[in-house]
C-alpha cells in the first residue's frame, strides 16, 4: 500500500522551507536531505524532486525527509536568490570564470549563515547529527551548499551539486582537504550556456585532489536536470542510508 506523502511549509532557522516525507506519523528520519534551488527560481522549484527520488528508490520514502529551503533574497527579476549576481553576468557578459573561481561572491557569507541556520535548526528538531544530513542544490544552490558543507563542525553524510561550479577556491581548497572521504555527487550539462562544464570539472578535480569521493556525471543537456541524473542521484542518496 502506497504511503501518503506529507508536505509542510515551515521556517527552519532564518529560511522558509518546504518539508516532504512519506514517513509514518511521528517517525524520526534516518537521513535528512536539504536541496537548495538556483538563482531566480521560486522557493518551491525543487520540491517535485522529493516524490520523484522516493519513487526511484523506495528506501528513501521509508527513511528520509527532504527539506527545500527558499533563498534569503528576493531576486529583482522574480523568484529567490542566495546571493546577487551583476546584470552583466546574467546577460552573458563579463564572465571571467578564472576570476569567478577565485573570488568569494558578494553575499556568500550571508547566504552561508542563513543556510547554516537551517541545517542547525533541522538537526535540533530531528535530533540528527551533521553526519546524517546530505546537503545539495542546483546551480547557485549547489554553490552555497558546497560552502556550508565544507564549514560544518563535522562532515555531512554527503554533498550533491547539480549544475554547480567552482568559486571561492582559496577558501574552499584548504577546507576540502579536511573533508577527505566525503561522498560527493556532481552532475552537469555538456551544453550548459550559463555555467560551463569546465567550471564543474575544476571543482571535481579540486575535490579529488583533496581526497573526496566524487561521483561525477556529464549529460547532453543545458542548464537543467534530466531523468538519468535523477536516477543516479537517487542511487547516491540510497547509498548514504548505509553510510557507503
Amino acid at each position: 500500500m502506497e504511503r501518503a506523502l506529507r508536505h509542510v511549509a515551515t521556517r527552519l532557522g532564518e529560511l522558509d522551507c518546504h518539508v516532504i516525507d512519506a514517513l509514518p506519523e511521528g517517525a524520526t528520519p534516518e537521513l535528512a536531505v536539504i536541496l537548495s534551488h538556483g538563482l531566480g527560481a521560486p522557493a518551491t522549484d525543487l520540491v517535485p524532486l522529493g516524490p520523484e527520488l522516493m519513487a526511484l528508490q523506495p528506501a528513501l520514502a521509508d527513511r528520509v525527509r527532504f527539506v527545500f529551503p527558499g533563498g534569503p533574497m528576493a531576486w529583482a527579476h522574480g523568484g529567490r536568490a542566495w546571493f546577487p549576481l551583476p546584470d552583466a553576468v546574467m546577460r552573458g557578459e563579463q564572465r571571467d570564470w578564472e576570476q569567478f573561481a577565485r573570488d568569494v561572491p558578494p553575499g556568500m557569507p550571508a547566504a552561508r549563515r542563513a543556510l547554516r541556520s537551517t541545517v542547525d535548526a533541522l538537526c535540533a528538531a530531528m535530533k540528527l547529527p551533521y553526519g546524517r544530513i546530505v546537503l545539495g542544490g542546483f546551480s547557485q544552490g549547489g554553490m552555497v551548499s558546497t560552502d556550508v558543507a565544507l564549514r560544518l563542525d563535522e562532515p555531512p553524510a554527503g554533498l550533491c551539486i547539480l549544475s554547480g561550479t567552482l568559486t571561492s577556491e582559496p577558501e574552499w581548497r584548504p577546507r576540502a582537504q579536511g573533508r577527505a572521504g566525503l561522498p560527493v555527487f556532481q552532475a552537469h550539462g555538456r551544453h550548459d550556456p550559463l555555467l560551463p562544464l569546465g567550471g564543474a570539472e575544476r571543482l571535481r578535480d579540486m575535490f579529488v585532489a583533496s581526497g573526496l569521493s566524487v561521483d561525477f556525471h556529464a549529460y547532453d543537456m543545458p542548464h537543467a536536470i534530466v531523468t538519468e541524473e535523477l536516477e543516479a542521484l537517487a542511487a547516491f542518496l540510497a547509498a548514504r542510508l548505509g553510510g557507503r
Side-chain angles (χ1 to χ4, degrees):
M1 180 177 176
E2 187 174 344
R3 194 176 298 150
L5 190 70
R6 184 184 300 104
H7 181 174
V8 176
T10 188
R11 192 167 183 86
L12 290 167
E14 298 181 20
L15 301 176
D16 293 324
C17 300
H18 291 265
V19 181
I20 302 283
D21 70 54
L23 301 171
E25 188 69 34
T28 299
E30 295 180 32
L31 190 73
V33 178
I34 303 175
L35 296 177
S36 299
H37 63 78
L39 176 69
T44 55
D45 188 53
L46 298 184
V47 169
L49 298 190
E52 290 184 51
L53 292 166
M54 291 183 212
L56 289 166
Q57 289 283 342
L60 301 179
D62 295 335
R63 301 159 67 184
V64 175
R65 181 165 288 154
F66 289 87
V67 179
F68 302 92
M73 297 176 53
W75 184 239
H77 306 287
R80 309 294 300 176
W82 293 95
F83 50 84
L85 285 178
D87 284 345
V89 173
M90 295 302 297
R91 290 195 301 268
E93 304 165 7
Q94 299 177 12
R95 291 191 177 181
D96 183 343
W97 294 113
E98 290 292 329
Q99 190 68 44
F100 190 83
R102 292 191 298 270
D103 289 346
V104 176
M108 178 68 90
R112 173 199 312 144
R113 184 196 67 237
L115 184 57
R116 175 68 182 267
S117 77
T118 294
V119 173
D120 289 341
L122 182 68
C123 288
M126 300 183 187
K127 297 180 172 58
L128 291 175
Y130 292 139
R132 302 312 297 158
I133 303 291
V134 174
L135 281 165
F138 179 77
S139 192
Q140 195 182 67
M143 297 178 217
V144 69
S145 296
T146 299
D147 195 83
V148 171
L150 295 177
R151 294 172 186 271
L152 292 176
D153 298 337
E154 299 173 358
L159 173 62
C160 305
I161 305 168
L162 314 179
S163 297
T165 196
L166 177 63
T167 188
S168 310
E169 183 175 7
E171 293 189 359
W172 283 7
R173 185 175 291 276
R175 291 180 179 277
Q177 291 168 0
R179 288 288 188 255
L182 176 67
V184 177
F185 177 88
Q186 241 191 301
H188 210 92
R190 295 189 181 95
H191 314 298
D192 191 328
L194 299 179
L195 296 175
L197 177 62
E201 292 174 329
R202 286 183 61 179
L203 178 58
R204 174 202 62 198
D205 294 346
M206 184 192 75
F207 283 155
V208 170
S210 300
L212 285 71
S213 177
V214 183
D215 182 14
F216 187 88
H217 300 259
Y219 298 99
D220 289 326
M221 64 178 184
H223 198 63
I225 298 173
V226 293
T227 300
E228 296 90 340
E229 178 180 1
L230 286 182
E231 292 171 348
L233 176 59
F236 175 87
L237 294 175
R240 306 287 70 75
L241 287 168
R244 302 190 301 276

